[in-house]
Amino acid sequence: DTAVSQTPKYLVTQMGNDKSIKCEQNLGHDTMYWYKQDSKKFLKIMFSYNNKELIINETVPNRFSPKSPDKAHLNLHINSLELGDSAVYFCASSQWGLAGSSYEQYFGPGTRLTVT
Amino acid sequence: SQKIEQNSEALNIQEGKTATLTCNYTNYSPAYLQWYRQDPGRGPVFLLLIRENEKEKRKERLKVTFDTTLKQSLFHITASQPADSATYLCALATDKLIFGTGTRLQVFP
């Protein structure tokens, strides 16, 4: 019954590796997001997809590539991992409103990525 | 430059009192403002949304105000309980959600 799920919950890897995080939502929403929460707990949007199309792409290194195979899934692939990529990554979903973020967002449990 | 500031990193209050959290912003004109709660090791959970033309919104023990002239939102928890202890995040809604730095609330018995 989990609304927004992410796998894995923890990811420990070495610098230079490539890794992926998967996200699925069963709320019937048409918009999904990836956020990064750093060690100071600051939560910042990275990407947003609406109906499988990329609509928000913040200034994120192009080592990060999101992919949305369908409206219910949004994956995040990270190439050549760096120490600074260590953070908690949250997936979220919402309906899409005329004013963009007019609807509440539902967050997944997060993936804690540690790069050593 | 654009900024969102929440009044303090941490707020400690006694059970039964009203907790008041502040969210101030500069150089934004959000149409909506949202408040979320985040517990350690978990994702944020939506609490309340208030529109720019609404002065106040209530939900059970929660109350939010939104003053677009002062560029400020206040979040109140009345009759606070230890279970209300968490980090509270305000978020400005433009074409995306822009989160504040959060306030960690601790309610002690």
mmCIF file of all heavy atoms in Angstrom, chain A residues 9 35 37 41-43 45 56 58 90 96 99-105 107-109, chain B residues 31-32 34 36 38 41-46 49 89 93-97 99-101:
data_model
loop_
_atom_site.group_PDB
_atom_site.id
_atom_site.type_symbol
_atom_site.label_atom_id
_atom_site.label_comp_id
_atom_site.label_asym_id
_atom_site.label_seq_id
_atom_site.Cartn_x
_atom_site.Cartn_y
_atom_site.Cartn_z
ATOM 1 N N LYS A 9 17.113 1.533 -0.205
ATOM 2 C CA LYS A 9 17.033 2.518 0.881
ATOM 3 C C LYS A 9 18.430 3.040 1.233
ATOM 4 O O LYS A 9 18.582 4.197 1.601
ATOM 5 C CB LYS A 9 16.387 1.883 2.114
ATOM 6 C CG LYS A 9 16.097 2.913 3.212
ATOM 7 C CD LYS A 9 15.063 2.420 4.190
ATOM 8 C CE LYS A 9 14.889 3.387 5.359
ATOM 9 N NZ LYS A 9 14.461 4.738 4.924
ATOM 10 N N TYR A 35 14.575 14.918 -5.553
ATOM 11 C CA TYR A 35 15.152 15.927 -4.682
ATOM 12 C C TYR A 35 16.433 15.379 -4.071
ATOM 13 O O TYR A 35 16.575 14.168 -3.876
ATOM 14 C CB TYR A 35 14.202 16.265 -3.526
ATOM 15 C CG TYR A 35 12.995 17.076 -3.893
ATOM 16 C CD1 TYR A 35 11.830 16.467 -4.352
ATOM 17 C CD2 TYR A 35 12.999 18.464 -3.762
ATOM 18 C CE1 TYR A 35 10.717 17.219 -4.675
ATOM 19 C CE2 TYR A 35 11.884 19.226 -4.079
ATOM 20 C CZ TYR A 35 10.757 18.593 -4.534
ATOM 21 O OH TYR A 35 9.643 19.342 -4.859
ATOM 22 N N GLN A 37 18.742 15.922 -0.552
ATOM 23 C CA GLN A 37 18.840 16.544 0.766
ATOM 24 C C GLN A 37 20.258 16.342 1.273
ATOM 25 O O GLN A 37 20.688 15.214 1.488
ATOM 26 C CB GLN A 37 17.827 15.949 1.746
ATOM 27 C CG GLN A 37 17.751 16.720 3.061
ATOM 28 C CD GLN A 37 16.540 16.344 3.895
ATOM 29 O OE1 GLN A 37 16.232 15.174 4.075
ATOM 30 N NE2 GLN A 37 15.830 17.343 4.418
ATOM 31 N N LYS A 41 20.631 19.103 5.742
ATOM 32 C CA LYS A 41 19.186 18.851 5.660
ATOM 33 C C LYS A 41 18.467 19.787 4.690
ATOM 34 O O LYS A 41 17.240 19.884 4.739
ATOM 35 C CB LYS A 41 18.512 18.944 7.054
ATOM 36 C CG LYS A 41 19.159 18.074 8.104
ATOM 37 C CD LYS A 41 19.046 16.628 7.763
ATOM 38 C CE LYS A 41 19.608 15.743 8.852
ATOM 39 N NZ LYS A 41 19.736 14.358 8.429
ATOM 40 N N PHE A 42 19.228 20.463 3.813
ATOM 41 C CA PHE A 42 18.577 21.342 2.853
ATOM 42 C C PHE A 42 18.059 20.512 1.689
ATOM 43 O O PHE A 42 18.804 19.761 1.064
ATOM 44 C CB PHE A 42 19.571 22.400 2.374
ATOM 45 C CG PHE A 42 18.980 23.387 1.427
ATOM 46 C CD1 PHE A 42 17.878 24.156 1.793
ATOM 47 C CD2 PHE A 42 19.494 23.541 0.159
ATOM 48 C CE1 PHE A 42 17.310 25.060 0.915
ATOM 49 C CE2 PHE A 42 18.939 24.447 -0.719
ATOM 50 C CZ PHE A 42 17.851 25.203 -0.348
ATOM 51 N N LEU A 43 16.761 20.658 1.392
ATOM 52 C CA LEU A 43 16.084 19.859 0.376
ATOM 53 C C LEU A 43 15.960 20.683 -0.907
ATOM 54 O O LEU A 43 15.357 21.749 -0.908
ATOM 55 C CB LEU A 43 14.707 19.473 0.905
ATOM 56 C CG LEU A 43 13.878 18.462 0.126
ATOM 57 C CD1 LEU A 43 14.547 17.107 0.087
ATOM 58 C CD2 LEU A 43 12.506 18.331 0.779
ATOM 59 N N ILE A 45 15.234 20.653 -5.255
ATOM 60 C CA ILE A 45 14.747 19.892 -6.397
ATOM 61 C C ILE A 45 15.863 19.706 -7.422
ATOM 62 O O ILE A 45 16.716 20.584 -7.601
ATOM 63 C CB ILE A 45 13.530 20.571 -7.046
ATOM 64 C CG1 ILE A 45 12.903 19.654 -8.088
ATOM 65 C CG2 ILE A 45 13.907 21.929 -7.654
ATOM 66 C CD1 ILE A 45 11.516 20.034 -8.497
ATOM 67 N N ILE A 56 11.392 20.140 -15.424
ATOM 68 C CA ILE A 56 12.311 20.916 -14.598
ATOM 69 C C ILE A 56 13.646 20.192 -14.567
ATOM 70 O O ILE A 56 13.708 18.992 -14.302
ATOM 71 C CB ILE A 56 11.787 21.095 -13.161
ATOM 72 C CG1 ILE A 56 10.573 22.000 -13.145
ATOM 73 C CG2 ILE A 56 12.886 21.685 -12.253
ATOM 74 C CD1 ILE A 56 9.893 22.108 -11.790
ATOM 75 N N GLU A 58 17.114 21.343 -12.892
ATOM 76 C CA GLU A 58 17.916 22.346 -12.204
ATOM 77 C C GLU A 58 19.382 22.177 -12.601
ATOM 78 O O GLU A 58 19.731 21.286 -13.363
ATOM 79 C CB GLU A 58 17.741 22.200 -10.688
ATOM 80 C CG GLU A 58 16.351 22.564 -10.218
ATOM 81 C CD GLU A 58 16.035 24.030 -10.407
ATOM 82 O OE1 GLU A 58 16.556 24.873 -9.648
ATOM 83 O OE2 GLU A 58 15.241 24.348 -11.328
ATOM 84 N N PHE A 90 15.415 11.919 -2.507
ATOM 85 C CA PHE A 90 13.989 11.651 -2.343
ATOM 86 C C PHE A 90 13.286 11.739 -3.682
ATOM 87 O O PHE A 90 13.505 12.673 -4.456
ATOM 88 C CB PHE A 90 13.342 12.673 -1.403
ATOM 89 C CG PHE A 90 13.705 12.494 0.048
ATOM 90 C CD1 PHE A 90 14.665 13.301 0.633
ATOM 91 C CD2 PHE A 90 13.073 11.530 0.821
ATOM 92 C CE1 PHE A 90 14.999 13.143 1.971
ATOM 93 C CE2 PHE A 90 13.401 11.368 2.154
ATOM 94 C CZ PHE A 90 14.371 12.178 2.730
ATOM 95 N N TRP A 96 -0.532 17.691 -11.276
ATOM 96 C CA TRP A 96 0.058 18.882 -11.875
ATOM 97 C C TRP A 96 -0.995 19.959 -11.966
ATOM 98 O O TRP A 96 -2.086 19.719 -12.491
ATOM 99 C CB TRP A 96 0.597 18.561 -13.264
ATOM 100 C CG TRP A 96 1.223 19.752 -13.926
ATOM 101 C CD1 TRP A 96 0.715 20.484 -14.943
ATOM 102 C CD2 TRP A 96 2.464 20.352 -13.580
ATOM 103 N NE1 TRP A 96 1.571 21.512 -15.255
ATOM 104 C CE2 TRP A 96 2.651 21.458 -14.446
ATOM 105 C CE3 TRP A 96 3.454 20.071 -12.628
ATOM 106 C CZ2 TRP A 96 3.783 22.268 -14.387
ATOM 107 C CZ3 TRP A 96 4.581 20.878 -12.572
ATOM 108 C CH2 TRP A 96 4.735 21.962 -13.443
ATOM 109 N N ALA A 99 -0.621 26.306 -11.820
ATOM 110 C CA ALA A 99 0.457 27.112 -11.238
ATOM 111 C C ALA A 99 1.651 26.249 -10.898
ATOM 112 O O ALA A 99 2.439 26.599 -10.047
ATOM 113 C CB ALA A 99 -0.048 27.827 -9.986
ATOM 114 N N GLY A 100 1.766 25.128 -11.571
ATOM 115 C CA GLY A 100 2.927 24.273 -11.316
ATOM 116 C C GLY A 100 2.799 23.529 -10.020
ATOM 117 O O GLY A 100 2.141 22.491 -9.957
ATOM 118 N N SER A 101 3.374 24.067 -8.974
ATOM 119 C CA SER A 101 3.415 23.331 -7.707
ATOM 120 C C SER A 101 2.254 23.702 -6.799
ATOM 121 O O SER A 101 2.454 23.966 -5.627
ATOM 122 C CB SER A 101 4.740 23.599 -7.005
ATOM 123 O OG SER A 101 5.798 23.087 -7.769
ATOM 124 N N SER A 102 1.042 23.728 -7.330
ATOM 125 C CA SER A 102 -0.087 24.099 -6.499
ATOM 126 C C SER A 102 -0.615 22.929 -5.697
ATOM 127 O O SER A 102 -1.409 23.118 -4.783
ATOM 128 C CB SER A 102 -1.208 24.677 -7.355
ATOM 129 O OG SER A 102 -1.543 23.769 -8.374
ATOM 130 N N TYR A 103 -0.196 21.727 -6.027
ATOM 131 C CA TYR A 103 -0.673 20.556 -5.308
ATOM 132 C C TYR A 103 0.404 20.029 -4.372
ATOM 133 O O TYR A 103 1.597 20.171 -4.621
ATOM 134 C CB TYR A 103 -1.065 19.447 -6.285
ATOM 135 C CG TYR A 103 -2.314 19.766 -7.066
ATOM 136 C CD1 TYR A 103 -2.239 20.272 -8.361
ATOM 137 C CD2 TYR A 103 -3.570 19.561 -6.502
ATOM 138 C CE1 TYR A 103 -3.383 20.576 -9.068
ATOM 139 C CE2 TYR A 103 -4.720 19.858 -7.203
ATOM 140 C CZ TYR A 103 -4.617 20.368 -8.486
ATOM 141 O OH TYR A 103 -5.745 20.661 -9.191
ATOM 142 N N GLU A 104 -0.070 19.382 -3.304
ATOM 143 C CA GLU A 104 0.875 18.818 -2.349
ATOM 144 C C GLU A 104 1.652 17.678 -2.990
ATOM 145 O O GLU A 104 1.157 17.010 -3.894
ATOM 146 C CB GLU A 104 0.154 18.313 -1.089
ATOM 147 C CG GLU A 104 -0.795 17.151 -1.314
ATOM 148 C CD GLU A 104 -2.216 17.599 -1.596
ATOM 149 O OE1 GLU A 104 -2.404 18.723 -2.127
ATOM 150 O OE2 GLU A 104 -3.133 16.815 -1.286
ATOM 151 N N GLN A 105 2.854 17.477 -2.479
ATOM 152 C CA GLN A 105 3.700 16.413 -2.996
ATOM 153 C C GLN A 105 3.807 15.290 -1.958
ATOM 154 O O GLN A 105 3.809 15.537 -0.761
ATOM 155 C CB GLN A 105 5.087 16.960 -3.347
ATOM 156 C CG GLN A 105 5.012 17.970 -4.493
ATOM 157 C CD GLN A 105 6.352 18.424 -4.992
ATOM 158 O OE1 GLN A 105 7.390 17.857 -4.661
ATOM 159 N NE2 GLN A 105 6.346 19.457 -5.809
ATOM 160 N N PHE A 107 6.146 12.224 -0.755
ATOM 161 C CA PHE A 107 7.554 11.841 -0.825
ATOM 162 C C PHE A 107 7.754 10.367 -0.502
ATOM 163 O O PHE A 107 7.027 9.781 0.305
ATOM 164 C CB PHE A 107 8.381 12.677 0.162
ATOM 165 C CG PHE A 107 8.630 14.079 -0.313
ATOM 166 C CD1 PHE A 107 7.646 15.052 -0.205
ATOM 167 C CD2 PHE A 107 9.852 14.430 -0.869
ATOM 168 C CE1 PHE A 107 7.867 16.345 -0.653
ATOM 169 C CE2 PHE A 107 10.093 15.730 -1.311
ATOM 170 C CZ PHE A 107 9.096 16.687 -1.208
ATOM 171 N N GLY A 108 8.771 9.800 -1.138
ATOM 172 C CA GLY A 108 9.191 8.456 -0.784
ATOM 173 C C GLY A 108 10.053 8.483 0.469
ATOM 174 O O GLY A 108 10.323 9.551 1.022
ATOM 175 N N PRO A 109 10.511 7.311 0.927
ATOM 176 C CA PRO A 109 11.270 7.220 2.174
ATOM 177 C C PRO A 109 12.725 7.674 2.041
ATOM 178 O O PRO A 109 13.404 7.826 3.044
ATOM 179 C CB PRO A 109 11.204 5.734 2.508
ATOM 180 C CG PRO A 109 11.027 5.070 1.188
ATOM 181 C CD PRO A 109 10.226 5.997 0.341
ATOM 182 N N ALA B 31 2.629 31.794 -5.531
ATOM 183 C CA ALA B 31 1.169 31.756 -5.567
ATOM 184 C C ALA B 31 0.630 30.935 -4.396
ATOM 185 O O ALA B 31 -0.512 31.109 -3.974
ATOM 186 C CB ALA B 31 0.709 31.148 -6.887
ATOM 187 N N TYR B 32 1.458 30.038 -3.914
ATOM 188 C CA TYR B 32 1.067 29.144 -2.826
ATOM 189 C C TYR B 32 2.255 28.965 -1.897
ATOM 190 O O TYR B 32 3.411 29.156 -2.290
ATOM 191 C CB TYR B 32 0.693 27.751 -3.367
ATOM 192 C CG TYR B 32 -0.344 27.741 -4.443
ATOM 193 C CD1 TYR B 32 0.009 27.956 -5.766
ATOM 194 C CD2 TYR B 32 -1.681 27.490 -4.138
ATOM 195 C CE1 TYR B 32 -0.943 27.940 -6.759
ATOM 196 C CE2 TYR B 32 -2.628 27.468 -5.131
ATOM 197 C CZ TYR B 32 -2.259 27.700 -6.438
ATOM 198 O OH TYR B 32 -3.205 27.689 -7.425
ATOM 199 N N GLN B 34 3.456 26.009 1.140
ATOM 200 C CA GLN B 34 3.127 24.725 1.747
ATOM 201 C C GLN B 34 4.008 24.491 2.976
ATOM 202 O O GLN B 34 5.130 24.991 3.048
ATOM 203 C CB GLN B 34 3.349 23.587 0.750
ATOM 204 C CG GLN B 34 2.544 23.731 -0.538
ATOM 205 C CD GLN B 34 2.702 22.548 -1.464
ATOM 206 O OE1 GLN B 34 3.162 21.485 -1.079
ATOM 207 N NE2 GLN B 34 2.296 22.726 -2.722
ATOM 208 N N TYR B 36 5.472 21.275 5.459
ATOM 209 C CA TYR B 36 5.704 19.834 5.553
ATOM 210 C C TYR B 36 6.337 19.512 6.888
ATOM 211 O O TYR B 36 7.025 20.341 7.492
ATOM 212 C CB TYR B 36 6.657 19.359 4.439
ATOM 213 C CG TYR B 36 6.047 19.361 3.060
ATOM 214 C CD1 TYR B 36 5.881 20.535 2.334
ATOM 215 C CD2 TYR B 36 5.627 18.164 2.476
ATOM 216 C CE1 TYR B 36 5.316 20.525 1.069
ATOM 217 C CE2 TYR B 36 5.063 18.136 1.205
ATOM 218 C CZ TYR B 36 4.918 19.322 0.514
ATOM 219 O OH TYR B 36 4.347 19.310 -0.728
ATOM 220 N N GLN B 38 8.936 16.640 8.643
ATOM 221 C CA GLN B 38 9.883 15.570 8.342
ATOM 222 C C GLN B 38 10.417 14.974 9.641
ATOM 223 O O GLN B 38 10.960 15.683 10.483
ATOM 224 C CB GLN B 38 11.050 16.073 7.481
ATOM 225 C CG GLN B 38 11.961 14.950 7.022
ATOM 226 C CD GLN B 38 13.021 15.378 6.035
ATOM 227 O OE1 GLN B 38 13.379 16.545 5.959
ATOM 228 N NE2 GLN B 38 13.529 14.427 5.254
ATOM 229 N N GLY B 41 15.038 10.258 9.232
ATOM 230 C CA GLY B 41 15.111 9.057 8.408
ATOM 231 C C GLY B 41 13.904 8.833 7.519
ATOM 232 O O GLY B 41 13.760 7.756 6.928
ATOM 233 N N ARG B 42 13.045 9.841 7.408
ATOM 234 C CA ARG B 42 11.845 9.678 6.586
ATOM 235 C C ARG B 42 11.686 10.848 5.620
ATOM 236 O O ARG B 42 12.335 11.893 5.765
ATOM 237 C CB ARG B 42 10.613 9.587 7.483
ATOM 238 C CG ARG B 42 10.742 8.501 8.559
ATOM 239 C CD ARG B 42 9.479 8.351 9.312
ATOM 240 N NE ARG B 42 8.519 7.536 8.572
ATOM 241 C CZ ARG B 42 7.893 6.503 9.078
ATOM 242 N NH1 ARG B 42 8.127 6.137 10.315
ATOM 243 N NH2 ARG B 42 7.013 5.837 8.364
ATOM 244 N N GLY B 43 10.811 10.675 4.643
ATOM 245 C CA GLY B 43 10.538 11.746 3.703
ATOM 246 C C GLY B 43 9.580 12.766 4.290
ATOM 247 O O GLY B 43 8.834 12.472 5.224
ATOM 248 N N PRO B 44 9.589 13.988 3.754
ATOM 249 C CA PRO B 44 8.651 15.009 4.220
ATOM 250 C C PRO B 44 7.208 14.574 3.980
ATOM 251 O O PRO B 44 6.910 13.888 2.999
ATOM 252 C CB PRO B 44 9.004 16.225 3.352
ATOM 253 C CG PRO B 44 10.402 15.987 2.903
ATOM 254 C CD PRO B 44 10.528 14.513 2.742
ATOM 255 N N VAL B 45 6.341 15.005 4.890
ATOM 256 C CA VAL B 45 4.914 14.715 4.789
ATOM 257 C C VAL B 45 4.156 16.037 4.733
ATOM 258 O O VAL B 45 4.371 16.918 5.579
ATOM 259 C CB VAL B 45 4.433 13.877 5.992
ATOM 260 C CG1 VAL B 45 2.914 13.704 5.955
ATOM 261 C CG2 VAL B 45 5.119 12.520 5.996
ATOM 262 N N PHE B 46 3.290 16.169 3.748
ATOM 263 C CA PHE B 46 2.515 17.393 3.558
ATOM 264 C C PHE B 46 1.567 17.632 4.718
ATOM 265 O O PHE B 46 0.909 16.708 5.206
ATOM 266 C CB PHE B 46 1.716 17.287 2.257
ATOM 267 C CG PHE B 46 0.727 18.395 2.059
ATOM 268 C CD1 PHE B 46 1.146 19.640 1.629
ATOM 269 C CD2 PHE B 46 -0.616 18.207 2.324
ATOM 270 C CE1 PHE B 46 0.239 20.674 1.446
ATOM 271 C CE2 PHE B 46 -1.537 19.227 2.147
ATOM 272 C CZ PHE B 46 -1.104 20.459 1.708
ATOM 273 N N LEU B 49 -1.524 23.682 2.873
ATOM 274 C CA LEU B 49 -1.243 24.559 1.739
ATOM 275 C C LEU B 49 -2.087 25.808 1.903
ATOM 276 O O LEU B 49 -3.263 25.724 2.263
ATOM 277 C CB LEU B 49 -1.589 23.839 0.435
ATOM 278 C CG LEU B 49 -1.426 24.591 -0.892
ATOM 279 C CD1 LEU B 49 -1.153 23.594 -2.009
ATOM 280 C CD2 LEU B 49 -2.671 25.405 -1.237
ATOM 281 N N LEU B 89 9.177 22.090 7.565
ATOM 282 C CA LEU B 89 9.716 22.766 6.389
ATOM 283 C C LEU B 89 8.637 23.607 5.734
ATOM 284 O O LEU B 89 7.524 23.110 5.516
ATOM 285 C CB LEU B 89 10.210 21.738 5.361
ATOM 286 C CG LEU B 89 11.255 20.718 5.819
ATOM 287 C CD1 LEU B 89 11.359 19.586 4.800
ATOM 288 C CD2 LEU B 89 12.600 21.394 5.976
ATOM 289 N N ALA B 93 5.730 27.749 -3.479
ATOM 290 C CA ALA B 93 5.303 27.077 -4.700
ATOM 291 C C ALA B 93 5.293 28.088 -5.838
ATOM 292 O O ALA B 93 4.454 28.982 -5.895
ATOM 293 C CB ALA B 93 3.915 26.468 -4.510
ATOM 294 N N THR B 94 6.269 27.970 -6.718
ATOM 295 C CA THR B 94 6.285 28.742 -7.949
ATOM 296 C C THR B 94 6.066 27.720 -9.062
ATOM 297 O O THR B 94 5.087 26.990 -9.025
ATOM 298 C CB THR B 94 7.619 29.493 -8.101
ATOM 299 O OG1 THR B 94 8.690 28.554 -8.054
ATOM 300 C CG2 THR B 94 7.786 30.490 -6.960
ATOM 301 N N ASP B 95 6.970 27.611 -10.000
ATOM 302 C CA ASP B 95 6.862 26.507 -10.960
ATOM 303 C C ASP B 95 7.398 25.223 -10.349
ATOM 304 O O ASP B 95 7.284 24.151 -10.927
ATOM 305 C CB ASP B 95 7.618 26.835 -12.244
ATOM 306 C CG ASP B 95 9.093 27.053 -11.997
ATOM 307 O OD1 ASP B 95 9.454 27.503 -10.887
ATOM 308 O OD2 ASP B 95 9.886 26.789 -12.910
ATOM 309 N N LYS B 96 7.967 25.347 -9.180
ATOM 310 C CA LYS B 96 8.474 24.200 -8.436
ATOM 311 C C LYS B 96 8.385 24.534 -6.962
ATOM 312 O O LYS B 96 8.097 25.679 -6.594
ATOM 313 C CB LYS B 96 9.921 23.899 -8.818
ATOM 314 C CG LYS B 96 10.856 25.091 -8.672
ATOM 315 C CD LYS B 96 12.241 24.742 -9.181
ATOM 316 C CE LYS B 96 13.170 25.931 -9.097
ATOM 317 N NZ LYS B 96 13.045 26.852 -10.209
ATOM 318 N N LEU B 97 8.622 23.541 -6.113
ATOM 319 C CA LEU B 97 8.669 23.804 -4.686
ATOM 320 C C LEU B 97 10.086 24.180 -4.282
ATOM 321 O O LEU B 97 11.040 23.495 -4.625
ATOM 322 C CB LEU B 97 8.258 22.561 -3.897
ATOM 323 C CG LEU B 97 6.773 22.295 -3.706
ATOM 324 C CD1 LEU B 97 6.576 21.126 -2.740
ATOM 325 C CD2 LEU B 97 6.036 23.515 -3.207
ATOM 326 N N PHE B 99 12.208 24.838 -0.950
ATOM 327 C CA PHE B 99 12.111 24.573 0.478
ATOM 328 C C PHE B 99 12.975 25.512 1.303
ATOM 329 O O PHE B 99 14.068 25.921 0.887
ATOM 330 C CB PHE B 99 12.506 23.130 0.786
ATOM 331 C CG PHE B 99 11.423 22.136 0.474
ATOM 332 C CD1 PHE B 99 11.305 21.604 -0.808
ATOM 333 C CD2 PHE B 99 10.516 21.747 1.438
ATOM 334 C CE1 PHE B 99 10.291 20.699 -1.106
ATOM 335 C CE2 PHE B 99 9.502 20.846 1.154
ATOM 336 C CZ PHE B 99 9.395 20.326 -0.121
ATOM 337 N N GLY B 100 12.480 25.823 2.488
ATOM 338 C CA GLY B 100 13.275 26.528 3.474
ATOM 339 C C GLY B 100 14.214 25.561 4.167
ATOM 340 O O GLY B 100 14.209 24.357 3.894
ATOM 341 N N THR B 101 14.990 26.091 5.082
ATOM 342 C CA THR B 101 16.022 25.306 5.748
ATOM 343 C C THR B 101 15.468 24.420 6.862
ATOM 344 O O THR B 101 16.155 23.528 7.331
ATOM 345 C CB THR B 101 17.084 26.230 6.332
ATOM 346 O OG1 THR B 101 16.422 27.299 7.022
ATOM 347 C CG2 THR B 101 17.946 26.837 5.225
#
